[in-house]
Amino acid sequence: MRILHTSDWHLGRTLHGVDLTAHHAAFLDHLVEVVRAERVDAVLVAGDVYDRAIPPVESVELLSQTLARLTEHTRVVLTPGNHDSATRLGFGAGLFRDRLAVRSRVAGITEPVELPDRDGSSGALVYALPYLDPDLTRDALAEPDDDGAPVRPARSHEAVTAAALRRVRGDLVRRRADGSSRVPAVLVAHAFVTGGAASESERDIRVGGVDQVPSGVFGAPDELDYVALGHLHGPQRVGREGLDPVMRYAGSPIAFSFSEANHRKSTALVELGPRGVREVELVEAPVARRLADATGTLEELTGRAFDHLVDHWLRVTVTDDVRPEQMWAQVARRFPHALVVQHSPAQARARSAASAVGPQQDPLEVAAQFLEAAGGRPARPDELAVVRAAYESVLAAERSA
């Protein structure tokens, strides 16, 4: 059977103030067409369907219309990510039948979606994990000790994911114990797997200073056959070949930061057989407007050398030693789709600059640098622990909003 793996739509997101609704709609039109043309048996959406817990009305309408169109041709399995509200996204999940499964509750992780093949027999089992926030899911994932008392997993992404996978593998072993023909098993999960390449546009999910899950947590390749991952926005394969299941990030269908300018956005078309993954084909997503950087003096930028970037979304860096008059206006006339215009003199770049919180910098490292500069000594571990706890509490509040 054939499954189409996608994730991180982030409906409702903007790019430096630009409304992306039309671009999202174009991608979703493309997705429906791929499902129809490739005779896809199921679409797996691995979280971050929306960009925030309370999405705009037009995003809700776009999702509703898209799911209705997709389920005319195939089945859909959808899970929430760290940007979604699991409760809101899962509203009405118990009412859905057959063609749409929204798995948003930890309690349901051992109840796979059973996908029939084209002959009507069991084609694949899909175990769908909602995003596992350690602070919100530890109680639900508690396991009994020798005396039967519940023991919560440690406060980390690795611990809660491992606890969830023990339940999944236990159910899978029971289903395969009768010795009948082997049914492929797929896991849908939203997590930062160690070794994955991040970009600037993923939201920080650190708990206890750590945001990653080792690939070994997902078990051996003779257990799960394919792990459909969401969270990282670059399409990529992760995990250890031969030691882990086939694990991929579908990536976001649209670039949400300039760090993604060189990504080839796609969905993963996975063909499954009784022995697991036969083939993975990347289906490129449409790109309405590409992102690029343009750097040079204003005279250079207005020259012919940059003609090929006129229709791109641009981050423009003007390197004149003196800030040109009406810099923004001059750049905008030259590049009508410039989203960021910054003045960075070449001489100033050669000198060391003060640290500041930027998209490529770790806020905790910047805070540590500030404490050292202000206090005249490196911050003690207990002081850094207070800063980390405060920072993570803000992240937690954003996730639960």
Side-chain angles (χ1 to χ4, degrees):
M1 68 183 311
R2 312 183 92 188
I3 60 174
L4 190 64
H5 167 204
T6 178
S7 70
D8 296 275
W9 296 353
H10 290 276
L11 301 180
R13 190 159 188 154
T14 60
L15 177 66
H16 293 279
V18 174
D19 186 349
L20 296 176
T21 300
H23 300 271
H24 275 119
F27 164 72
L28 295 172
D29 286 343
H30 157 82
L31 191 71
V32 173
E33 177 57 26
V34 171
V35 165
R36 188 196 62 77
E38 299 292 343
R39 297 183 65 200
V40 170
D41 297 293
V43 174
L44 310 182
V45 188
D48 282 353
V49 179
Y50 294 127
D51 189 57
R52 53 186 184 270
I54 305 178
V57 171
E58 58 268 23
S59 298
V60 177
E61 292 174 344
L62 181 57
L63 177 62
S64 178
Q65 294 163 6
T66 300
L67 293 177
R69 295 169 65 196
L70 286 172
T71 52
E72 289 177 1
H73 305 284
T74 191
R75 289 171 169 78
V76 179
V77 180
L78 182 149
T79 62
N82 58 291
H83 279 248
D84 300 307
S85 163
T87 302
R88 292 186 180 94
L89 191 64
F91 170 76
L95 304 176
F96 303 144
R97 294 290 184 271
D98 189 30
R99 310 288 284 184
L100 174 62
V102 179
R103 294 302 177 89
S104 60
R105 298 172 60 248
V106 174
I109 62 177
T110 58
E111 301 168 9
V113 179
E114 300 186 42
L115 300 177
D117 62 17
R118 290 166 195 169
D119 297 327
S121 57
S122 183
L125 301 172
V126 178
Y127 292 90
L129 305 184
Y131 168 64
L132 301 174
D133 184 317
D135 289 333
L136 301 178
T137 59
R138 291 172 67 206
D139 288 336
L141 292 168
E143 299 171 299
D145 62 13
D146 293 339
D147 298 323
V151 178
R152 297 190 301 169
R155 185 176 176 263
S156 72
H157 289 281
E158 178 179 357
V160 295
T161 304
L165 264 294
R166 282 192 291 272
R167 297 187 182 192
V168 167
R169 285 198 295 270
D171 182 77
L172 186 57
V173 167
R174 286 191 294 273
R175 290 174 184 269
R176 289 176 172 171
D178 61 3
S180 59
S181 60
R182 184 181 185 279
V183 177
V186 176
L187 179 80
V188 184
H190 196 88
F192 190 161
V193 176
T194 302
S199 61
E200 296 174 0
S201 57
E202 296 100 3
R203 180 177 291 173
D204 195 339
I205 58 171
R206 274 178 292 188
V207 172
V210 179
D211 55 3
Q212 299 185 24
V213 178
S215 62
V217 167
F218 293 86
D222 61 347
E223 297 171 326
L224 295 169
D225 296 286
Y226 183 76
V227 179
L229 293 166
H231 181 60
L232 299 184
H233 291 174
Q236 57 195 291
R237 180 168 178 176
V238 293
R240 303 162 299 173
E241 190 167 358
L243 298 176
D244 300 320
V246 177
M247 307 172 67
R248 285 202 67 91
Y249 282 98
S252 62
I254 298 172
F256 298 124
S257 69
F258 282 95
S259 66
E260 301 169 59
N262 295 322
H263 287 182
R264 296 182 67 177
K265 300 299 188 181
S266 60
T267 51
L269 183 60
V270 184
E271 186 168 345
L272 291 171
R275 300 192 179 198
V277 177
R278 289 177 175 169
E279 182 184 9
V280 178
E281 176 188 352
L282 300 185
V283 183
E284 287 201 39
V287 180
R289 195 179 304 284
R290 297 194 176 277
L291 277 73
D293 278 286
T295 302
T297 65
L298 191 59
E299 182 178 359
E300 291 168 341
L301 291 166
T302 55
R304 297 293 300 275
F306 289 88
D307 282 354
H308 65 292
L309 297 180
V310 169
D311 290 328
H312 286 54
W313 276 323
L314 289 182
R315 178 171 57 187
V316 180
T317 303
V318 181
T319 61
D320 295 69
D321 290 335
V322 178
R323 182 185 177 91
E325 292 186 11
Q326 298 184 329
M327 183 181 71
W328 249 107
Q330 293 192 67
V331 169
R333 282 195 296 270
R334 168 63 167 144
F335 303 112
H337 304 292
L339 301 181
V340 178
V341 180
Q342 53 196 8
H343 181 227
S344 181
Q347 293 179 355
R349 288 203 310 276
R351 299 190 298 268
S352 60
S355 294
V357 178
Q360 294 180 318
Q361 293 175 285
D362 185 338
L364 294 179
E365 291 180 3
V366 174
Q369 294 168 7
F370 170 78
L371 290 174
E372 182 172 357
R377 60 167 177 79
R380 298 190 308 269
D382 60 323
E383 294 171 332
L384 293 177
V386 171
V387 174
R388 184 175 65 241
Y391 176 60
E392 290 179 358
S393 69
V394 173
L395 294 179
E398 290 180 347
R399 290 196 293 270
S400 62

